[in-house]
Amino acid sequence: MPRPYNIGMIGYGFMGRAHSNAYANVSHYFDLEYRPVLKAVCARDAAKAQAFADQWGYESVETDWKKLLARKDIDAVDICTPNNLHKEIAIAAAQAGKAILCEKPLAMNAAEGEEMCRAVEKAGVANIVWYNYRRVPAVSFAKQIIDSGKLGKIFHYRANFLQDWTISADLPQGGQGLWRLDVAAAGSGVTGDLLAHCIDTAIWLNGGIGSVSAMTETFIKERKHNLTGKVEKVGIDDACAFLCRFANGSLGLFESTRYARGHKALYTLEINGEKASIKWDLHDLHRLQYFDHRDEGPLRGWRSIHVTDGDHPYMGKWWVPGLAVGYETSFVHQVADFLDGLASGKPAGPTFREALETQKICDAVLASAKSGAWTSVG
Ligand code: SOE
């Protein structure tokens, strides 16, 4: 019988739902030594927290995260709050001996992230950051292909994350649902929110990044702030593009914006190697495009692989070949791997320490955009 593993989640926004869905469903599909139990959800507004608890099946509600951390019946804390609260909660959770699953990005900046790493390492508690796109089956399959050497030497890595939801100048900043526009809560704009995903996948697939050259823009300079009611300066980057050099000698090109009219969550990546190339697109997430130069000449071309067979990553746990799974399953896979890591003693990534690398790259990107100079990842 799997052992119960009690989750206390702090925050209940969009990500709270994605994570709760993963905890609620993982044991139906994966055979694990631990079974997550939705023990408590914590948020300041008691009525909203209770409504969330009722909808998702949490057993109890807290309105003060410190009380949640003090509870003996909580094994792991899931931090789903705005970014400016990650550090304080994570350090306190580590000191309370709780395992931590922290929403991305790890922190507001690398200095904060370093403190969080030290806290979890000192306490010896399990930790992971929710960079979920690694665990979309087609992306995990790309990793297997790259690691097998099929691409040969890698020349180029290209990634985009394009959205269009902040184009209206009437959209306020700050508060529930819109804290991503408020630099005091988010730390940065698309760099920490979207490029961080692209960077995490990139360094997982293609190794470390040594230096970057970036530009950012804030198209709407002032917005009404929901917390103060006043029109205030916008401090986040609305768009960011950067070039980089990977340690393996390949060149990287990354772009993210919330001003690409028509694109809702278009995360794409492409890797060009000496022998083969790979392309992936979040809007068609169960497909992986693969081109192999070694194919017979006249038949050579891009293959569109439907990543739904039982021998594709994670897919043996779902339906039958040919039937696709969606965005939400990347979170289910992350919980499965995290719990497996607890049982085996081989922690699933990205751990806080691994996610700190992404944070350092984001810091270098923002520093380069400010100075206009190529910047080493520190
Ligand atoms: C922003 O709109 C957002 O929800 C990010 O915060 C998520 O991390 C990303 O996966 C989808 O877009």
Side-chain angles (χ1 to χ4, degrees):
M1 275 295 279
R3 280 184 273 168
Y5 191 70
N6 293 342
I7 307 289
M9 197 175 69
I10 307 174
Y12 61 90
F14 157 47
M15 277 304 138
R17 292 167 62 223
H19 299 185
S20 300
N21 177 67
Y23 297 126
N25 285 304
V26 69
S27 304
H28 298 150
Y29 299 95
F30 290 79
D31 303 316
L32 299 161
E33 270 187 40
Y34 294 97
R35 180 177 52 81
V37 177
L38 299 176
K39 206 66 185 172
V41 61
C42 176
R44 273 174 301 189
D45 185 320
K48 285 186 179 159
Q50 189 60 57
F52 187 88
D54 292 344
Q55 181 155 24
W56 286 94
Y58 280 87
E59 289 176 15
S60 60
V61 162
E62 295 289 347
T63 51
D64 174 352
W65 59 262
K66 290 185 177 145
K67 284 202 179 135
L68 181 83
L69 298 191
R71 277 173 59 163
K72 297 252 176 319
D73 62 348
I74 299 293
D75 296 313
V77 171
D78 188 326
I79 305 174
C80 261
T81 62
N83 306 340
N84 60 336
L85 295 173
H86 288 189
K87 183 185 97 169
E88 190 187 356
I89 298 176
I91 292 175
Q95 285 165 353
K98 310 296 184 196
I100 309 169
L101 300 98
C102 183
E103 180 48 28
K104 51 57 57 177
L106 174 64
M108 298 281 274
N109 51 50
E112 280 197 354
E114 180 63 52
E115 284 185 61
M116 293 164 74
C117 288
R118 285 207 209 110
V120 291
E121 285 160 5
K122 184 167 174 214
V125 295
N127 56 91
I128 194 167
V129 179
W130 288 96
Y131 280 114
N132 59 299
Y133 294 110
R134 291 179 175 207
R135 292 180 168 92
V136 170
V139 177
S140 309
F141 184 41
K143 167 87 171 149
Q144 288 181 356
I145 296 173
I146 295 166
D147 289 353
S148 75
K150 280 197 171 57
L151 267 54
K153 183 174 167 46
I154 309 284
F155 298 122
H156 295 286
Y157 193 104
R158 228 166 275 116
N160 284 328
F161 207 136
L162 310 180
Q163 299 187 330
D164 73 353
W165 62 282
T166 64
I167 294 179
S168 168
D170 295 336
L171 193 70
Q173 58 172 317
Q176 208 191 344
L178 291 170
W179 62 264
R180 283 178 177 78
L181 277 73
D182 176 6
V183 74
S188 70
V190 294
T191 301
D193 190 36
L194 301 176
L195 282 175
H197 278 303
C198 303
I199 294 166
D200 173 74
T201 320
I203 60 181
W204 186 58
L205 294 177
N206 195 38
I209 291 175
S211 56
V212 301
S213 172
M215 62 176 175
T216 55
E217 184 54 70
T218 304
F219 294 116
I220 309 273
K221 310 284 185 210
E222 292 185 327
R223 292 183 187 271
K224 193 179 137 199
H225 202 295
N226 273 331
L227 301 182
T228 63
K230 294 193 190 120
V231 173
E232 291 184 17
K233 187 169 175 262
V234 173
I236 57 154
D237 43 305
D238 287 336
C240 176
F242 74 93
L243 305 171
C244 68
R245 289 186 180 277
F246 284 86
N248 65 4
S250 59
L251 304 183
L253 178 56
F254 292 74
E255 184 195 6
S256 183
T257 176
R258 293 176 180 145
Y259 288 70
R261 182 62 89 199
H263 293 306
K264 305 302 168 190
L266 187 67
Y267 176 9
T268 56
L269 62 89
E270 177 164 340
I271 309 164
N272 307 126
E274 180 191 0
K275 299 178 181 148
S277 289
I278 276 175
K279 277 200 284 190
W280 175 78
D281 170 350
L282 176 56
H283 283 191
D284 205 8
L285 86 178
H286 52 284
R287 287 194 174 272
L288 190 69
Q289 311 294 328
Y290 178 75
F291 178 96
D292 198 323
H293 186 67
R294 287 156 299 196
D295 286 348
E296 211 184 313
L299 289 176
R300 210 180 277 147
W302 283 92
R303 303 176 206 175
S304 175
I305 306 171
H306 200 228
V307 184
T308 57
D309 275 351
D311 52 3
H312 286 135
Y314 303 107
M315 291 309 297
K317 301 290 180 191
W318 295 96
W319 316 117
V320 294
L323 302 185
V325 297
Y327 165 77
E328 71 283 2
T329 61
S330 59
F331 297 90
V332 177
H333 301 156
Q334 174 142 351
V335 174
D337 289 348
F338 175 78
L339 295 175
D340 245 355
L342 282 185
S344 69
K346 286 191 210 126
T351 61
F352 279 20
R353 183 58 70 188
E354 286 159 350
L356 180 62
E357 194 52 32
T358 295
Q359 203 76 52
K360 287 181 184 168
I361 297 166
C362 289
D363 279 12
V365 163
L366 294 169
S368 165
K370 210 167 173 190
S371 70
W374 274 90
T375 303
S376 299
V377 175

